[in-house]
Amino acid sequence: MSKIIKEPLLHFFLIGAGLFGVYHILNPRQGPPGEITVSAQKIAELAAIWQMQWNRPPTEEELDEIIRNFLQEEILYREALELGLDQNDILVRRRLAQKLQFILEDKIEIKDPTDEELKAFYDANRDNYKEPTRLTFQQVAVLHQPGAERKATEILRALRQQPWDSPHILGVNRTAVPEKWELSTREEIERVFGSGFSDKLLTADLNTWIGPLSSGLGFHLIKVEEIQRDAWLPFETIRSRVEADWREYQKTQAWNAQIQRMASRYSIRIEKEEWLKSCSGEK
């Protein structure tokens, strides 16, 4: 093998192949390069794009420059394809896939639904059309510190003894957490006070201070003023929303079917298990 590697004739062929490759890149082939036509329609498109960007049509000189730039781009594009520069390029791959997806999605036609179809869709997806539970409440906070729970209990006693115009001033180490919450959902409440906090508010008597309730911030004294329980939204009041959802669902179904049809043309092999084994060190 080492004898072959040292063979001068092999060196000659390798150097020649390298020079040919460099020459091919620096000197595009002189044979028939194929025709490039900048059509009147393309020029109209380029001029329209210019007008959208600058709010006026291009001058003749500007139009010539636009055409020159387009022509240069077209030549570079063709040469790049010939050199295979589009291969294994994730940006080119993604852009081509997106472009085809846009074209195919535009061709999907969704017929107008009947009321029966929309009502059936509404019934099958009722959870999407439920107005969530909402609560309005005030809170006085005593943030974490030594004796915080005892202090919160003292404040609760004071709140229950007499009405306060501004009960929040009794809080200790008050934070940016709102003192008044208006028709907030359980999700919004628990995002601040933690999981399960809203359950305690839902069982509270209205307009009565309760607590101390613990959260990641400290202890809270709460007065729930209003609870609006979750409720289904009547079909008649949200028909347009149901129709929009139905159309989106139909479009997604049609798109998935399109992908399945295209996928059926390929023999697909996914080596996920092999990859997982290689990650775990298995052989």
Side-chain angles (χ1 to χ4, degrees):
M1 185 66 181
S2 59
K3 186 176 179 181
I4 295 175
I5 293 175
K6 293 177 182 177
E7 179 60 47
L9 187 59
L10 175 63
H11 295 169
F12 173 80
F13 279 120
L14 289 175
I15 293 171
L19 290 173
F20 177 81
V22 172
Y23 178 83
H24 183 71
I25 294 173
L26 298 179
N27 300 277
R29 57 186 171 78
Q30 299 302 310
E35 183 178 320
I36 297 178
T37 300
V38 185
S39 66
Q41 180 181 352
K42 176 55 69 179
I43 293 172
E45 291 175 8
L46 295 172
I49 292 172
W50 170 281
Q51 181 146 2
M52 282 193 295
Q53 291 177 332
W54 299 98
N55 293 319
R56 65 172 176 79
T59 64
E60 187 170 348
E61 292 75 17
E62 289 169 338
L63 185 60
D64 288 341
E65 182 67 18
I66 292 169
I67 295 171
R68 275 195 298 274
N69 289 339
F70 173 79
L71 188 58
Q72 175 178 302
E73 184 180 81
E74 179 66 19
I75 292 169
L76 290 173
Y77 169 70
R78 294 190 183 198
E79 292 295 317
L81 287 181
E82 191 170 335
L83 292 171
L85 298 185
D86 57 319
Q87 303 297 316
N88 300 319
D89 186 316
I90 191 168
L91 294 179
V92 172
R93 179 175 179 273
R94 189 171 296 163
R95 180 69 184 119
L96 289 174
Q98 286 176 339
K99 190 169 185 179
L100 181 57
Q101 181 173 351
F102 293 151
I103 292 171
L104 294 177
E105 285 182 340
D106 281 346
K107 293 182 179 301
I108 295 175
E109 294 183 359
I110 306 296
K111 65 178 178 62
D112 291 335
T114 64
D115 272 354
E116 288 70 26
E117 287 174 320
L118 289 184
K119 286 177 181 173
F121 183 80
Y122 168 83
D123 289 336
N125 299 277
R126 287 175 68 89
D127 284 347
N128 294 338
Y129 306 113
K130 179 189 284 185
E131 185 64 19
T133 295
R134 295 181 182 275
L135 300 98
T136 296
F137 65 93
Q138 295 186 61
Q139 65 103 14
V140 176
V142 179
L143 299 191
H144 281 307
Q145 61 177 331
E149 186 171 12
R150 178 183 51 77
K151 179 63 178 175
T153 302
E154 292 173 0
I155 294 174
L156 175 64
R157 191 177 304 119
L159 288 169
R160 286 178 170 175
Q161 285 176 346
Q162 65 179 54
W164 292 73
D165 292 335
S166 301
H168 322 106
I169 61 173
L170 297 174
V172 178
N173 292 339
R174 295 158 63 190
T175 68
V177 176
E179 294 159 339
K180 178 81 173 182
W181 291 64
E182 297 277 0
L183 295 177
S184 302
T185 65
R186 298 181 63 179
E187 182 181 5
E188 292 168 340
I189 294 168
E190 299 198 353
R191 195 179 300 141
V192 174
F193 296 96
S195 177
F197 196 88
S198 66
D199 292 337
K200 299 168 185 171
L201 307 194
L202 288 171
T203 58
D205 293 332
L206 294 182
N207 298 312
T208 300
W209 285 101
I210 63 169
L213 302 182
S214 176
S215 81
L217 300 170
F219 293 93
H220 306 268
L221 308 169
I222 304 288
K223 184 168 77 170
V224 179
E225 297 176 340
E226 182 180 1
I227 299 176
Q228 293 184 1
R229 303 284 178 178
D230 58 9
W232 307 111
L233 297 169
F235 171 77
E236 292 73 18
T237 64
I238 56 167
R239 187 187 187 286
S240 58
R241 175 180 159 189
V242 175
E243 181 173 345
D245 291 347
W246 179 89
R247 288 184 180 280
E248 188 60 33
Y249 175 78
Q250 298 298 326
K251 188 175 180 181
T252 300
Q253 293 295 97
W255 172 248
N256 289 339
Q258 181 88 277
I259 288 290
Q260 288 299 320
R261 281 195 294 275
M262 288 190 288
S264 67
R265 297 165 48 197
Y266 298 88
S267 174
I268 298 174
R269 173 180 166 80
I270 301 173
E271 298 182 338
K272 181 182 175 184
E273 292 302 321
E274 288 82 348
W275 180 76
L276 289 174
K277 287 179 181 177
S278 70
C279 292
S280 63
E282 291 183 35
K283 294 183 179 178

